[in-house]
Amino acid sequence: MKIGFIGTGVMGNAICLNLLKAGHDLVVYNRTKSKTDNLVAQGATWCESPKKVAENAELIFTMVGFPADVENVYFGEEGIFQAAVKDKYLVDMTTSKPALAQRIFREGEQQGAKVLDAPVSGGDLGAKNGTLTIMVGGDEAAYQDLEPVFKDFGKIVHYFGAAGAGQNTKMANQIMIAGTMTGMCEMLVYAKKAGLALESVLETVGAGSAANWSLSNYGPRILKDDYTPGFFSKHFLKDLRIALETAKEMKLELPATKEAEKLYETLVDERGLGDLGTQGLIKLWWN
Amino acid sequence: MKIGFIGTGVMGNAICLNLLKAGHDLVVYNRTKSKTDNLVAQGATWCESPKKVAENAELIFTMVGFPADVENVYFGEEGIFQAAVKDKYLVDMTTSKPALAQRIFREGEQQGAKVLDAPVSGGDLGAKNGTLTIMVGGDEAAYQDLEPVFKDFGKIVHYFGAAGAGQNTKMANQIMIAGTMTGMCEMLVYAKKAGLALESVLETVGAGSAANWSLSNYGPRILKDDYTPGFFSKHFLKDLRIALETAKEMKLELPATKEAEKLYETLVDERGLGDLGTQGLIKLWWN
């Protein structure tokens, strides 16, 4: 299938390589053109706008930064909806607002396009190894059509329901991670202040009913002062904001997630450390 | 070794059975005497006070409810320190205040006793199966002496340092669980409100970087409306209060843990649901 890909950052680029490897024709666009160079060298074709990508592909993936970028890529002057998209597949993989996913779906429906929201989890390694988890919402028939393509770069692919359901599942995922990240950081901070040997604490706490992925993966990195991003703090803060905004629209209070948002806000906005990985949260205590 | 055991509730009783199975002589005391009946039937000897237990054993374990109970069992009129405890081992396995563990240690030192704090994790099942995790602080030589006895009912046994270090490790463990429990509940609450299929959400969220023990063990129980306690909410609230009080003494702020304490306080004190398992927290949203 002729595939268009808009947004070839760390994640998008790795997915594109898997799509090329699977034998798809690829047209690509990225705001910073140089980030498509490696893909063009491997046979992809550069297009100068999202609109041009949409004109030259049957299936268009988008994976950009913030909801405002998503909006621009779809609804902007040079956006996807300026092309003739009838019968085409439009799939947004950015982690973005459920309400925006619904708006794109409705506009697509009017123009005869088949729209999905399909955010992913699994990070840069998952993208590279083709083992992402893909959470899909939107047009169910379109999901059935595209499942084989999703499998070219994802391991667990699941359809969750109408437009926005993929985004909402991703939000649920991030709310869970807010708990493991704040819990892990406060746990380490307490243990250090109490003078405990942190390696032993990680081992013991990680062996029982407190066990979790953040602890086993980020705990040891923190002890090595390694704050390189598996996932940027600034992106995690964006996700928490979307989750809490959406929760508010649903008249739902999530006090612990709200507290996590405040902590990441301090880290990113006040301390300017948004380029650290999410485990950088511990710097609020340890400097 | 002649062992005394004070506090034969769910956990203590199961540990006593493992000690009897390992061939130890056992003298027991419990505030509600009937909870020792099954042990006496298996060869244990009833004593009428903590003091009497201490007089009749070389190694005395205590496992009661709240710090005030610990205080009473050690320092009360019929307490352990009213007996001649020189050269005896005193081991408190109650999850209790690190500062109280240090006070017991100092008093023991004055009387020539060897004192350890050794709270456990692993719940009723771990106690029954002899697979508890035991976090030990206090007299290191005493820890070496008693390691074989600990192995009679524990799987992971680790020495963490001076008096209070066992309690502090347990507190670290509970701080981590505060994160996984609040995260899991708010995640499910969000997902339900968004109309997602909760079984699929648990499966997908539990497969990636949000994975944790609370999610895989309590998530499915919540979906079945099963709030039977693996661990009582009222006891978890007690633990969070001890952790935050101790953190405060160390001039440490733990905002996410504080929020978890508030939520469990509402559940236990306002809603009167302290006898539910910790997964009952979701009732703050679902009633």
Side-chain angles (χ1 to χ4, degrees), chain A residues 199-210:
Chain A
E199 290 80 4
S200 305
V201 170
L202 282 185
E203 197 188 321
T204 300
V205 171
S209 51

Side-chain angles (χ1 to χ4, degrees), chain B residues 179-246:
Chain B
T180 57
M181 290 307 300
T182 53
M184 178 191 58
C185 288
E186 296 196 355
M187 184 275 278
L188 281 173
V189 158
Y190 180 101
K192 188 178 185 184
K193 197 88 173 183
L196 303 173
L198 298 185
E199 290 80 2
S200 304
V201 169
L202 282 184
E203 197 188 321
T204 300
V205 170
S209 49
N212 66 89
W213 192 97
S214 294
L215 181 76
S216 4
N217 286 273
Y218 291 134
R221 292 196 212 174
I222 290 174
L223 299 202
K224 280 181 230 149
D225 258 333
D226 173 4
Y227 301 107
T228 50
F231 187 57
F232 284 119
S233 286
K234 61 186 176 188
H235 290 161
F236 191 54
L237 176 58
K238 172 200 76 166
D239 295 357
L240 293 180
R241 282 174 169 158
I242 294 172
L244 286 162
E245 200 178 301
T246 308

Side-chain angles (χ1 to χ4, degrees), chain B residues 3-287:
Chain B
I3 297 179
F5 208 104
I6 295 163
T8 58
V10 177
M11 296 291 291
N13 202 291
I15 293 171
C16 282
L17 288 173
N18 280 315
L19 289 170
L20 285 169
K21 204 188 296 172
H24 298 286
D25 272 347
L26 204 61
V27 294
V28 294
Y29 168 80
N30 192 65
R31 207 161 40 182
T32 308
K33 188 181 175 186
S34 61
K35 289 186 182 169
T36 62
D37 289 350
N38 69 319
L39 301 170
V40 170
Q42 300 213 23
T45 306
W46 160 259
C47 285
E48 66 196 5
S49 71
K51 180 185 171 193
K52 282 272 158 48
V53 169
E55 283 167 354
N56 286 288
E58 305 155 68
L59 157 59
I60 298 101
F61 286 113
T62 52
M63 195 164 206
V64 293
F66 290 79
D69 303 316
V70 175
E71 221 174 324
N72 192 44
V73 155
Y74 280 90
F75 297 97
E77 268 182 42
E78 292 296 311
I80 292 168
F81 284 129
Q82 296 301 314
V85 292
K86 189 163 169 9
D87 294 331
K88 295 190 174 183
Y89 298 95
L90 308 179
V91 182
D92 184 28
M93 295 202 291
T94 318
T95 295
S96 166
K97 291 187 197 173
L100 179 54
Q102 288 152 3
R103 198 179 138 212
I104 296 170
F105 182 87
R106 285 193 303 269
E107 178 65 27
E109 213 174 21
Q110 287 210 336
Q111 301 201 17
K114 294 164 267 187
V115 176
L116 296 174
D117 50 299
V120 305
S121 71
D124 49 348
L125 270 183
K128 197 176 165 190
N129 301 329
T131 57
L132 291 170
T133 296
I134 310 175
M135 296 157 264
V136 188
D139 183 326
E140 190 165 9
Y143 168 72
Q144 303 297 346
D145 296 345
L146 296 185
E147 210 181 352
V149 182
F150 284 131
K151 293 278 183 181
D152 286 333
F153 57 91
K155 194 172 155 197
I156 302 178
V157 189
H158 199 90
Y159 176 79
F160 282 93
Q167 295 296 353
N168 273 322
T169 305
K170 179 69 188 283
M171 289 302 119
N173 190 73
Q174 304 306 72
I175 289 169
M176 184 67 251
I177 291 178
T180 57
M181 290 307 300
T182 53
M184 178 191 58
C185 288
E186 296 196 355
M187 184 275 278
L188 281 173
V189 158
Y190 180 101
K192 188 178 185 184
K193 197 88 173 183
L196 303 173
L198 298 185
E199 290 80 2
S200 304
V201 169
L202 282 184
E203 197 188 321
T204 300
V205 170
S209 49
N212 66 89
W213 192 97
S214 294
L215 181 76
S216 4
N217 286 273
Y218 291 134
R221 292 196 212 174
I222 290 174
L223 299 202
K224 280 181 230 149
D225 258 333
D226 173 4
Y227 301 107
T228 50
F231 187 57
F232 284 119
S233 286
K234 61 186 176 188
H235 290 161
F236 191 54
L237 176 58
K238 172 200 76 166
D239 295 357
L240 293 180
R241 282 174 169 158
I242 294 172
L244 286 162
E245 200 178 301
T246 308
K248 202 175 170 191
E249 287 163 12
M250 301 191 292
K251 312 232 176 292
L252 203 57
E253 281 191 54
L254 306 175
T257 308
K258 183 80 197 156
E259 198 55 56
E261 183 200 37
K262 273 193 220 163
L263 291 170
Y264 275 100
E265 213 156 62
T266 307
L267 184 74
V268 175
D269 291 347
E270 285 180 34
R271 299 281 302 276
L273 297 175
D275 285 332
L276 297 185
T278 48
Q279 75 273 28
L281 188 65
I282 203 137
K283 288 194 166 272
L284 293 189
W285 291 270
W286 290 358
N287 296 302

Side-chain angles (χ1 to χ4, degrees), chain A residues 168 186 190 250 253 256-257 285, chain B residues 168 186 190 253 256-257 285:
Chain A
N168 273 324
E186 296 194 356
Y190 180 100
M250 300 191 292
E253 280 190 56
T257 308
W285 292 270
Chain B
N168 273 322
E186 296 196 355
Y190 180 101
E253 281 191 54
T257 308
W285 291 270

Side-chain angles (χ1 to χ4, degrees), chain A residues 161-172:
Chain A
Q167 295 296 353
N168 273 324
T169 305
K170 180 68 190 281
M171 288 304 120

